Every structure is written in structure tokens, then in C-alpha cells.
Amino acid sequence: MVTDARQRIDKWLFFSRAVKSRSLAAKLVVAGRVRINRDKAAQASDLVRLGDVLTITLERRIFVWKVLGTGSRRGPAEEARLLYEDISPPPTPKGEAVRDAIPALRDAGSGRPTKKERRETDRLLGDD
């Protein structure tokens, strides 16, 4: 690892193996899917420092990583894991429902809802 105190965000994402290429890392940053200490990273040239907390949104997952170091190359996965500490919240188990979810109006496995039932659900949810 290099002892530099800061590095470009696109390089850091590439070296930490969050993305497959620097150009994908740059696109991710420009799209607003990377936050540095809760502030959106505006450009691929924004700098990351030791101790910064990154929030990275990739497809359906959200990663929260604390920067522990900067890299000098895209090495093996073991080397990349030394660049960050994963402080992401644990994912909810697949069998559990989200606590703010609306309970189902039908029994599981009872078939497709009728048009009348769909309208009733829309009315309850306020989707007029």
C-alpha cells in the first residue's frame, strides 16, 4: 500500500475492486452513486482521504466502507480488502418482511388478485 494521504475516488474504487474499471468508477461517481462523508461526489477527481466513509450504491446493494488506505495497483482481493473496513448494516434475511411494509391482504398462495381486490388495495394505499 502507498502511504499517500489522499487519492482520486475513481482510482480508489478501482483499486478496492468495487468496480471492474476506472471508467466504470468514473461513471458511478458522475451518476451520483458515491458519497464521501455523506456528501455526493461530483467528479471522478474528488479526493478520498484516510478515515473517510464512502457510501456506494451498486445495483440493489448499498456498501458503507471506511477508507483505511490508498492503493498503488489493482491487486488480488486480499490486498484490496486492506484498503477499507466494511461497516455496512447487515442485510435483512430473505424470510423476514420489512418492518414498515404493509401487511398482505391475501393469504399466500391463494392465486392472483381480482380487479376488485386490486382496486381495494389501491384505495387503501392512496394510489388514486
Side-chain angles (χ1 to χ4, degrees):
M1 277 193 299
V2 177
T3 58
D4 282 339
R6 55 193 183 146
Q7 189 172 40
R8 287 174 55 115
I9 185 71
D10 61 337
K11 281 179 107 173
W12 192 91
L13 289 170
F14 177 62
F15 292 158
S16 67
R17 295 183 155 264
V19 292
K20 291 185 177 185
S21 68
R22 270 186 73 185
S23 61
L24 286 176
K27 288 178 185 176
L28 194 70
V29 172
V30 171
R33 297 184 177 266
V34 178
R35 292 180 177 264
I36 303 172
N37 297 327
R38 295 188 178 178
D39 296 325
K40 278 189 182 180
Q43 302 174 356
S45 62
D46 287 350
L47 298 177
V48 176
R49 293 173 181 79
L50 301 179
D52 282 349
V53 176
L54 303 178
T55 306
I56 306 162
T57 305
L58 293 174
E59 295 178 11
R60 295 184 183 104
R61 302 185 322 188
I62 298 176
F63 298 105
V64 181
W65 289 349
K66 182 177 182 182
V67 177
L68 299 179
T70 57
S72 59
R73 68 185 185 111
R74 181 179 167 93
E78 294 81 25
E79 186 178 317
R81 278 191 223 107
L82 298 175
L83 299 179
Y84 62 89
E85 174 188 353
D86 190 3
I87 55 175
S88 303
T92 58
K94 291 187 178 182
E96 290 184 23
V98 180
R99 63 177 175 205
D100 293 336
I102 298 171
L105 299 175
R106 301 172 51 83
D107 295 330
S110 63
R112 292 178 59 181
T114 63
K115 187 180 239 183
K116 182 179 179 182
E117 290 170 333
R118 287 195 312 264
R119 287 182 182 147
E120 183 66 22
T121 303
D122 289 346
R123 187 185 61 77
L124 292 174
L125 294 175
D127 296 340
D128 292 326

